[in-house]
Amino acid sequence: MSDERIYIIAGGHVEDEFVKKILCDKKGNKKDGIYLLAVDRGLECLLRLKINPDEVIGDFDSVSDEARMAIGLEPKNKSNKKKDDQEQFVFDVLPYHIRQLDVHKDQTDTEEAVRFAMRYLRGDIVILGATGTRIDHVLGNISILGLGVLSGFHISLVDEHNRISLVNDEMVITKKEQFGDYVSIVPYTDDTYVTLTGFQFNVDNKHMKRNLSLGISNVIEEDEAKIVVNNGVAIVIESRD
Protein backbone atom coordinates (compact mmCIF):
# COMPACT_ATOMS: atom_id res chain seq x y z
CA MET A 1 0.00 0.00 0.00
CA SER A 2 1.31 3.47 -0.83
CA ASP A 3 2.02 6.00 1.89
CA GLU A 4 -1.08 7.71 3.24
CA ARG A 5 -2.28 9.50 6.33
CA ILE A 6 -3.40 6.98 8.94
CA TYR A 7 -5.83 8.16 11.57
CA ILE A 8 -6.76 6.15 14.64
CA ILE A 9 -9.72 7.41 16.62
CA ALA A 10 -9.65 6.05 20.15
CA GLY A 11 -12.17 6.16 22.97
CA GLY A 12 -10.95 9.20 24.89
CA HIS A 13 -12.19 12.78 24.74
CA VAL A 14 -13.06 14.05 21.26
CA GLU A 15 -14.79 17.14 19.94
CA ASP A 16 -16.93 16.16 16.97
CA GLU A 17 -16.31 19.35 15.01
CA PHE A 18 -12.54 19.06 15.53
CA VAL A 19 -12.60 15.48 14.22
CA LYS A 20 -14.82 16.45 11.31
CA LYS A 21 -12.47 19.28 10.33
CA ILE A 22 -9.51 16.89 10.25
CA LEU A 23 -11.17 13.94 8.52
CA CYS A 24 -13.77 15.46 6.20
CA ASP A 25 -13.91 17.74 3.18
CA LYS A 26 -16.30 20.66 2.88
CA LYS A 27 -19.12 18.32 1.84
CA GLY A 28 -18.69 16.22 4.98
CA ASN A 29 -17.15 13.26 3.15
CA LYS A 30 -13.99 11.56 4.34
CA LYS A 31 -10.97 13.11 2.62
CA ASP A 32 -9.03 11.16 0.02
CA GLY A 33 -5.77 9.58 1.15
CA ILE A 34 -6.98 8.86 4.67
CA TYR A 35 -7.07 5.36 6.19
CA LEU A 36 -9.26 5.46 9.28
CA LEU A 37 -9.19 2.96 12.15
CA ALA A 38 -11.92 3.15 14.78
CA VAL A 39 -10.92 1.81 18.17
CA ASP A 40 -13.71 0.58 20.42
CA ARG A 41 -15.54 3.64 21.82
CA GLY A 42 -14.07 5.79 19.05
CA LEU A 43 -16.94 4.33 17.03
CA GLU A 44 -19.33 6.60 18.94
CA CYS A 45 -17.84 9.77 17.44
CA LEU A 46 -17.87 8.33 13.91
CA LEU A 47 -21.46 7.20 14.43
CA ARG A 48 -22.52 10.73 15.37
CA LEU A 49 -20.71 12.15 12.33
CA LYS A 50 -21.78 9.30 10.00
CA ILE A 51 -18.16 8.73 8.90
CA ASN A 52 -17.27 5.21 7.76
CA PRO A 53 -14.04 3.73 9.15
CA ASP A 54 -11.81 1.49 7.04
CA GLU A 55 -11.00 -0.75 9.98
CA VAL A 56 -12.64 -1.39 13.35
CA ILE A 57 -10.65 -2.81 16.27
CA GLY A 58 -11.62 -3.39 19.88
CA ASP A 59 -13.22 -5.62 22.46
CA PHE A 60 -16.34 -3.39 22.27
CA ASP A 61 -16.99 -3.75 25.99
CA SER A 62 -17.68 -0.04 26.46
CA VAL A 63 -19.56 0.92 23.29
CA SER A 64 -23.28 1.63 23.09
CA ASP A 65 -25.70 -0.89 21.68
CA GLU A 66 -26.30 1.47 18.77
CA ALA A 67 -22.59 1.37 17.89
CA ARG A 68 -22.48 -2.41 18.33
CA MET A 69 -25.39 -2.86 15.93
CA ALA A 70 -23.80 -0.43 13.47
CA ILE A 71 -20.94 -2.93 13.00
CA GLY A 72 -23.24 -5.95 12.95
CA LEU A 73 -22.89 -7.12 16.56
CA GLU A 74 -25.74 -8.09 18.83
CA PRO A 75 -26.74 -5.46 21.41
CA LYS A 76 -25.97 -6.26 25.02
CA ASN A 77 -29.49 -5.26 25.94
CA LYS A 78 -31.76 -7.34 23.73
CA SER A 79 -34.58 -4.81 24.11
CA ASN A 80 -32.45 -2.39 22.05
CA LYS A 81 -32.45 -4.71 19.06
CA LYS A 82 -33.66 -2.98 15.94
CA LYS A 83 -37.19 -3.69 14.86
CA ASP A 84 -37.97 -4.14 11.17
CA ASP A 85 -39.61 -0.72 10.90
CA GLN A 86 -36.77 1.12 12.65
CA GLU A 87 -34.02 2.83 10.70
CA GLN A 88 -30.57 1.96 12.01
CA PHE A 89 -27.32 3.43 10.70
CA VAL A 90 -24.88 0.73 9.64
CA PHE A 91 -21.23 1.44 8.95
CA ASP A 92 -20.09 0.64 5.43
CA VAL A 93 -17.22 -1.59 6.50
CA LEU A 94 -16.71 -5.19 5.44
CA PRO A 95 -16.94 -7.87 8.16
CA TYR A 96 -13.33 -8.98 7.73
CA HIS A 97 -12.23 -5.42 8.56
CA ILE A 98 -13.90 -5.69 11.98
CA ARG A 99 -11.47 -7.23 14.46
CA GLN A 100 -13.01 -8.13 17.80
CA LEU A 101 -10.43 -8.57 20.54
CA ASP A 102 -10.58 -10.54 23.76
CA VAL A 103 -11.57 -8.40 26.74
CA HIS A 104 -8.80 -10.05 28.82
CA LYS A 105 -5.49 -9.02 27.23
CA ASP A 106 -2.20 -7.39 28.21
CA GLN A 107 -2.44 -4.37 25.89
CA THR A 108 -5.05 -1.71 25.23
CA ASP A 109 -7.24 -1.63 22.14
CA THR A 110 -5.36 1.49 21.03
CA GLU A 111 -2.02 -0.31 21.18
CA GLU A 112 -3.50 -3.13 19.11
CA ALA A 113 -4.65 -0.60 16.52
CA VAL A 114 -1.20 1.01 16.37
CA ARG A 115 0.48 -2.36 15.96
CA PHE A 116 -2.00 -3.24 13.20
CA ALA A 117 -1.27 0.04 11.39
CA MET A 118 2.49 -0.47 11.58
CA ARG A 119 2.18 -4.08 10.39
CA TYR A 120 -0.12 -3.56 7.40
CA LEU A 121 -0.03 0.14 6.46
CA ARG A 122 2.52 2.77 5.51
CA GLY A 123 2.47 6.42 6.49
CA ASP A 124 2.34 8.77 9.45
CA ILE A 125 -0.04 7.74 12.22
CA VAL A 126 -2.19 10.29 14.04
CA ILE A 127 -4.19 9.20 17.09
CA LEU A 128 -7.31 11.17 17.97
CA GLY A 129 -9.29 10.57 21.15
CA ALA A 130 -6.14 9.60 23.07
CA THR A 131 -6.50 12.21 25.82
CA GLY A 132 -9.21 13.09 28.32
CA THR A 133 -10.11 12.53 31.94
CA ARG A 134 -8.43 9.11 32.28
CA ILE A 135 -4.83 10.09 33.03
CA ASP A 136 -3.83 6.42 33.11
CA HIS A 137 -4.96 6.07 29.49
CA VAL A 138 -3.24 9.33 28.52
CA LEU A 139 0.08 8.16 29.97
CA GLY A 140 -0.39 4.75 28.37
CA ASN A 141 -1.04 6.35 24.99
CA ILE A 142 2.10 8.51 25.30
CA SER A 143 4.02 5.30 26.01
CA ILE A 144 2.55 3.77 22.84
CA LEU A 145 4.31 6.50 20.86
CA GLY A 146 7.51 4.62 21.71
CA LEU A 147 6.43 1.91 19.26
CA GLY A 148 7.00 4.44 16.51
CA VAL A 149 10.41 5.43 17.85
CA LEU A 150 11.46 1.78 17.85
CA SER A 151 10.04 1.04 14.39
CA GLY A 152 10.73 4.25 12.47
CA PHE A 153 7.08 5.35 12.27
CA HIS A 154 6.05 8.90 13.09
CA ILE A 155 3.13 8.69 15.53
CA SER A 156 1.46 11.62 17.25
CA LEU A 157 -1.43 12.19 19.63
CA VAL A 158 -3.64 15.11 18.64
CA ASP A 159 -6.55 16.84 20.35
CA GLU A 160 -7.99 20.35 20.18
CA HIS A 161 -5.19 21.78 22.34
CA ASN A 162 -2.16 19.53 21.92
CA ARG A 163 -0.01 17.62 19.47
CA ILE A 164 2.29 15.18 21.24
CA SER A 165 5.26 13.32 19.74
CA LEU A 166 8.17 11.23 20.97
CA VAL A 167 11.50 12.20 19.40
CA ASN A 168 14.84 10.40 19.47
CA ASP A 169 16.56 12.18 16.57
CA GLU A 170 15.44 15.58 15.28
CA MET A 171 12.25 17.48 14.62
CA VAL A 172 11.71 20.72 12.70
CA ILE A 173 8.69 22.92 13.42
CA THR A 174 7.94 25.96 11.28
CA LYS A 175 6.38 28.95 12.97
CA LYS A 176 3.77 29.09 10.22
CA GLU A 177 2.64 25.48 10.68
CA GLN A 178 3.18 24.94 14.42
CA PHE A 179 0.30 23.57 16.45
CA GLY A 180 -0.50 26.34 18.91
CA ASP A 181 1.79 28.90 20.55
CA TYR A 182 3.96 26.83 22.87
CA VAL A 183 6.46 24.01 22.51
CA SER A 184 7.45 21.98 25.54
CA ILE A 185 10.21 19.39 25.70
CA VAL A 186 9.96 16.83 28.48
CA PRO A 187 12.65 14.15 28.95
CA TYR A 188 11.31 10.63 28.50
CA THR A 189 14.56 8.93 29.47
CA ASP A 190 17.17 9.77 32.10
CA ASP A 191 19.91 10.23 29.49
CA THR A 192 18.11 12.84 27.34
CA TYR A 193 20.38 15.52 25.83
CA VAL A 194 18.77 18.17 23.63
CA THR A 195 19.89 21.01 21.34
CA LEU A 196 17.32 23.71 20.53
CA THR A 197 17.64 26.42 17.87
CA GLY A 198 15.12 28.98 16.66
CA PHE A 199 13.40 29.25 20.04
CA GLN A 200 13.18 32.01 22.62
CA PHE A 201 15.28 29.78 24.87
CA ASN A 202 17.92 27.81 22.98
CA VAL A 203 20.24 25.20 24.48
CA ASP A 204 23.25 23.27 23.22
CA ASN A 205 23.38 19.59 24.08
CA LYS A 206 21.59 20.27 27.36
CA HIS A 207 21.01 17.38 29.73
CA MET A 208 17.23 17.46 30.25
CA LYS A 209 16.96 15.89 33.66
CA ARG A 210 13.80 14.19 34.76
CA ASN A 211 11.81 15.50 37.73
CA LEU A 212 12.39 19.11 36.60
CA SER A 213 10.21 21.51 34.57
CA LEU A 214 13.03 23.09 32.55
CA GLY A 215 11.61 22.54 29.05
CA ILE A 216 8.04 23.77 29.54
CA SER A 217 6.39 26.51 27.42
CA ASN A 218 9.14 27.53 25.04
CA VAL A 219 8.24 29.79 22.09
CA ILE A 220 9.37 29.70 18.46
CA GLU A 221 10.94 33.04 17.47
CA GLU A 222 12.42 32.32 14.03
CA ASP A 223 10.72 31.08 10.87
CA GLU A 224 11.57 27.54 11.88
CA ALA A 225 12.83 25.88 15.00
CA LYS A 226 14.79 22.67 15.34
CA ILE A 227 14.82 20.16 18.17
CA VAL A 228 17.76 17.77 18.07
CA VAL A 229 17.74 14.93 20.57
CA ASN A 230 21.42 14.06 20.75
CA ASN A 231 20.83 11.20 23.15
CA GLY A 232 17.81 9.54 24.72
CA VAL A 233 14.16 10.28 23.97
CA ALA A 234 12.09 13.42 24.54
CA ILE A 235 8.36 14.12 24.60
CA VAL A 236 7.59 17.13 22.40
CA ILE A 237 4.26 18.85 23.10
CA GLU A 238 2.94 21.62 20.87
CA SER A 239 0.06 23.24 22.72
CA ARG A 240 -2.45 26.06 22.73
CA ASP A 241 -4.84 27.34 25.37
Side-chain angles (χ1 to χ4, degrees), residues 1 6 15 56 95 107 115 152 165 174:
M1 180 177 289
I6 303 161
E15 289 287 345
V56 179
Q107 57 283 331
R115 289 185 180 277
S165 306
T174 64

Side-chain angles (χ1 to χ4, degrees), residues 84-152:
D84 292 338
D85 60 344
Q86 289 180 325
E87 185 176 347
Q88 169 72 42
F89 179 82
V90 177
F91 286 115
D92 183 16
V93 54
L94 295 172
Y96 58 82
H97 287 297
I98 300 172
R99 303 170 188 276
Q100 186 165 11
L101 307 175
D102 193 328
V103 174
H104 304 291
K105 54 189 181 303
D106 293 331
Q107 57 283 331
T108 63
D109 295 340
T110 303
E111 180 181 337
E112 287 285 354
V114 170
R115 289 185 180 277
F116 172 89
M118 292 193 304
R119 187 178 303 120
Y120 296 109
L121 305 172
R122 291 174 55 193
D124 292 342
I125 300 171
V126 178
I127 308 176
L128 308 173
T131 59
T133 57
R134 286 288 301 271
I135 298 302
D136 53 342
H137 281 290
V138 176
L139 293 174
N141 289 332
I142 291 173
S143 293
I144 290 171
L145 296 178
L147 295 174
V149 170
L150 294 172
S151 305

Side-chain angles (χ1 to χ4, degrees), residues 1-8 22-23 33-37 113-114 117-118 121-128 145 148-149 151-158 163-166 171-172:
M1 180 177 289
S2 61
D3 287 6
E4 57 190 331
R5 192 66 134 176
I6 303 161
Y7 284 92
I8 296 173
I22 290 176
L23 299 181
I34 284 179
Y35 197 91
L36 179 59
L37 292 85
V114 170
M118 292 193 304
L121 305 172
R122 291 174 55 193
D124 292 342
I125 300 171
V126 178
I127 308 176
L128 308 173
L145 296 178
V149 170
S151 305
F153 278 81
H154 183 267
I155 308 174
S156 58
L157 311 181
V158 178
R163 180 165 63 192
I164 307 170
S165 306
L166 273 189
M171 178 178 183
V172 175

Side-chain angles (χ1 to χ4, degrees), residues 128-212:
L128 308 173
T131 59
T133 57
R134 286 288 301 271
I135 298 302
D136 53 342
H137 281 290
V138 176
L139 293 174
N141 289 332
I142 291 173
S143 293
I144 290 171
L145 296 178
L147 295 174
V149 170
L150 294 172
S151 305
F153 278 81
H154 183 267
I155 308 174
S156 58
L157 311 181
V158 178
D159 62 23
E160 305 93 291
H161 300 283
N162 306 281
R163 180 165 63 192
I164 307 170
S165 306
L166 273 189
V167 180
N168 70 334
D169 44 25
E170 67 177 56
M171 178 178 183
V172 175
I173 307 172
T174 64
K175 191 172 182 65
K176 183 178 179 180
E177 297 179 350
Q178 73 177 109
F179 190 97
D181 301 316
Y182 305 102
V183 180
S184 296
I185 295 92
V186 179
Y188 190 69
T189 56
D190 286 324
D191 58 345
T192 302
Y193 286 78
V194 175
T195 296
L196 303 177
T197 55
F199 288 93
Q200 180 179 7
F201 302 104
N202 295 317
V203 295
D204 182 20
N205 199 30
K206 177 71 174 179
H207 185 190
M208 304 287 288
K209 297 179 181 179
R210 297 174 73 177
N211 308 318
L212 299 176

